[in-house]
Amino acid sequence: MSSSMSGRTRWWALAVLSMTQLVVVLDGTIVNIALPQAQAALDLTDSARQWVVTAYALAFGALLLLGGRVADYWGRKRTYMVGMVGFGIASLWGGLAQTGTELILARGLQGVFAALLAPAALALLTVTFPSGRERNTAFAVFGTVAGAGAAVGLALGGVLTEFFSWRWCLLVNLVFVVIGIVGALLFLRESRAEGDNRYDVWGAVTVTLGLGALVYGFSLAEFGWGNVSTIAFLAAGVVLLGLFVWIETRVRNPLLPLHVVTDRVRAGAFLIQAVAGSVMIGATLYLTFHLQIVLGMSALAAGLASLPLPLATMLTAPIVATLLGRIGPRPLMITGPLVVAASLLLLSRITGGAYAVEVLPALIVMGFGMAFIFVPLQNLALAGVPAHDAGVASATANSAMQIGGSIGLSVFTAVYAAVVGPHGSGIPATSALVDGYSATFVAAAVGMAVAAVIAIVFVRNRRPDLVPVEGTATARD
């Protein structure tokens, strides 16, 4: 970033970019609580209803890597602006949708533009805060927002649905879009990758189709892991992604330089990001079901009941940011998943009793643990990445969380169905629902324990892991 950018301007830029990350993440969950109203208003079937969520995840996850390269080559601020405008148009379309098909298509279009916004925002943050204590602070703020976004989406969705309409879960994005555009014009500076900027067309095609097939295949798992369509799409996704890796080893200017994902620390960060995404996107959805269906909470009450999680994360983040500079990332990245796993085991003990006794303590502990994960995570995911690859590295980090969330949700759905299924084909009894939700939380706890092992194996504790490599390009005024 140009040295002429004042310290105050950089912090305003951080505010704009953090708000962008919040919008991108919370839009994955903000419609969850509003789905019953939207389904009734647009006469959606149960099968079509899930596509209101899946369409966003599918487009977002499949196009992130391409979006990262577009940001690197075309210009990160320019890509950010186009993404923000397009996201606003898609949100307006969805908010005014008169049919279920329109709503699903609008959600998919939101995902397309989110795939431009997310990597552009993180890449801009990387070049705005290239090194030092300020970089650690900026990434702590950004990571906290990313970690809390899913839970904030649940809370905001509950408030908007209760007092306004399900449509405002989409229309509210217009407020963020206006703030983002004005903020970008005032505080963001253009930057782009130098050197060879030719696009890897075949790489883009295979990774987009591969990720799309993988996400779609996992979304079909609710009909059974042995279902022919499920197996076919998962197999196609694996084959296409394998072909993508082969292509990346042979082209001069790869879409995803393999050093971005083969570096030991970054690989660990991406894997942990995926597991954390499965919990924040998948497990919190089943928590919402428990609050509304078993405990009988309204949309507003369920949304507000989810707030202790992001609040605990935000209150803990400044402490973790200080610890990061003193003890390094490794102890934090090991401790965080273990604390979250403990909170999920605590949550798995639900019986349908009082929220304050069975749910609230677990949410507070979970929020505390998530701060230990997300504060260092974004920093580690981009540590040592040359400026030329900042956009695609940030896209990989976002893609890991989105794909992890999609896979996690599918696994949790399979676990839930295995527990609840034997109780009959009608509406399951409350005890069966509680057993199903409890099983999903245990599965999520196992995933977080695996994340702690990944941190032990992959994450080192050297200072260079928190700073970029030399030769980082500066942004243009």
Side-chain angles (χ1 to χ4, degrees):
M1 180 60 67
S2 171
S3 59
S4 64
M5 177 178 259
S6 68
R8 179 177 299 179
T9 300
R10 286 199 294 171
W11 293 114
W12 277 112
L14 171 63
V16 173
L17 297 172
S18 296
M19 181 211 71
T20 303
Q21 181 70 3
L22 175 65
V23 172
V24 168
V25 174
L26 70 80
D27 254 76
T29 58
I30 193 171
V31 299
N32 288 359
I33 290 179
L35 275 179
Q37 279 196 14
Q39 182 178 14
L42 301 180
D43 197 26
L44 284 164
T45 64
D46 287 346
S47 179
R49 178 186 62 182
Q50 62 122 356
W51 276 97
V52 177
V53 177
T54 303
Y56 181 81
L58 181 61
F60 191 18
L63 294 172
L64 265 167
L65 280 178
L66 181 58
R69 263 312 184 219
V70 171
D72 281 336
Y73 293 172
W74 196 47
R76 289 148 189 156
K77 179 179 177 179
R78 182 184 299 176
T79 302
Y80 176 93
M81 295 291 287
V82 171
M84 189 63 81
V85 171
F87 194 81
I89 293 172
S91 298
L92 179 62
W93 183 21
L96 300 178
Q98 298 301 306
T99 67
T101 300
E102 282 187 67
L103 178 59
I104 292 170
L105 290 175
R107 287 286 289 166
L109 192 61
Q110 276 187 310
V112 171
F113 286 106
L116 293 176
L117 267 180
L122 190 50
L124 284 166
L125 184 71
T126 302
V127 297
T128 302
F129 296 90
S131 62
R133 181 178 298 178
E134 288 185 344
R135 174 184 170 92
N136 289 344
T137 302
F139 272 85
V141 172
F142 194 86
T144 301
V145 169
V152 171
L154 294 174
L156 183 58
V159 172
L160 293 173
T161 302
E162 185 79 14
F163 289 110
F164 300 97
S165 160
W166 66 267
R167 295 182 181 277
W168 279 98
C169 292
L170 293 147
L171 295 175
V172 71
N173 287 328
L174 299 178
V175 177
F176 295 121
V177 166
V178 171
I179 296 173
I181 291 173
V182 173
L185 292 173
L186 292 175
F187 306 118
L188 300 183
R189 302 289 183 268
E190 185 60 280
S191 72
R192 62 174 58 88
E194 304 295 344
D196 188 352
N197 286 347
R198 287 175 296 178
Y199 285 97
D200 171 15
V201 176
W202 286 112
V205 170
T206 51
V207 75
T208 299
L209 293 177
L211 289 176
L214 201 63
V215 172
Y216 184 61
F218 275 106
S219 75
L220 293 176
E222 65 172 298
F223 304 113
W225 291 100
N227 182 280
V228 175
S229 296
T230 302
I231 295 173
F233 275 101
L234 291 177
V238 171
V239 170
L240 285 166
L241 291 177
L243 180 59
F244 167 70
V245 172
W246 180 81
I247 291 172
E248 299 310 274
T249 63
R250 282 158 174 76
V251 296
R252 292 183 57 186
N253 199 32
L255 176 68
L256 175 61
L258 293 183
H259 68 80
V260 171
V261 293
T262 56
D263 174 85
R264 178 176 175 179
V265 174
R266 285 197 297 274
F270 294 145
L271 289 172
I272 295 170
Q273 181 103 323
V275 178
S278 73
V279 173
M280 293 305 296
I281 296 174
T284 55
L285 177 62
Y286 279 94
L287 174 62
T288 301
F289 291 159
H290 178 73
L291 295 176
Q292 291 187 281
I293 299 174
V294 175
L295 299 187
M297 292 185 177
S298 66
L300 173 62
L304 295 178
S306 303
L307 275 179
L309 198 166
L311 288 176
T313 299
M314 288 185 282
L315 290 173
T316 308
I319 301 172
V320 179
T322 301
L323 290 173
L324 179 62
R326 294 179 178 176
I327 66 175
R330 192 168 189 263
L332 304 178
M333 297 295 288
I334 296 172
T335 302
L338 291 176
V339 172
V340 174
S343 73
L344 288 163
L345 290 177
L346 183 62
L347 196 58
S348 73
R349 297 171 63 85
I350 54 173
T351 63
Y355 164 82
V357 175
E358 294 190 349
V359 179
L360 180 59
L363 289 183
I364 294 173
V365 175
M366 188 184 301
F368 176 79
M370 282 297 180
F372 278 74
I373 298 173
F374 284 108
V375 167
L377 191 58
Q378 297 286 351
N379 206 328
L380 286 177
L382 292 177
V385 176
H388 187 274
D389 299 324
V392 73
S394 62
T396 305
N398 279 285
S399 186
M401 184 165 186
Q402 195 66 30
I403 299 301
S406 299
I407 293 174
L409 181 56
S410 299
V411 172
F412 301 149
T413 299
V415 171
Y416 170 81
V419 174
V420 176
H423 292 270
S425 58
I427 298 175
T430 299
S431 60
L433 291 173
V434 171
D435 289 344
Y437 302 151
S438 177
T440 64
F441 298 139
V442 171
V446 172
M448 293 311 301
V450 171
V453 174
I454 292 171
I456 292 172
V457 174
F458 287 89
V459 178
R460 297 168 298 186
N461 214 37
R462 299 185 305 147
R463 183 171 177 79
D465 291 331
L466 292 177
V467 297
V469 296
E470 294 297 327
T472 299
T474 59
R476 295 181 178 87
D477 291 322

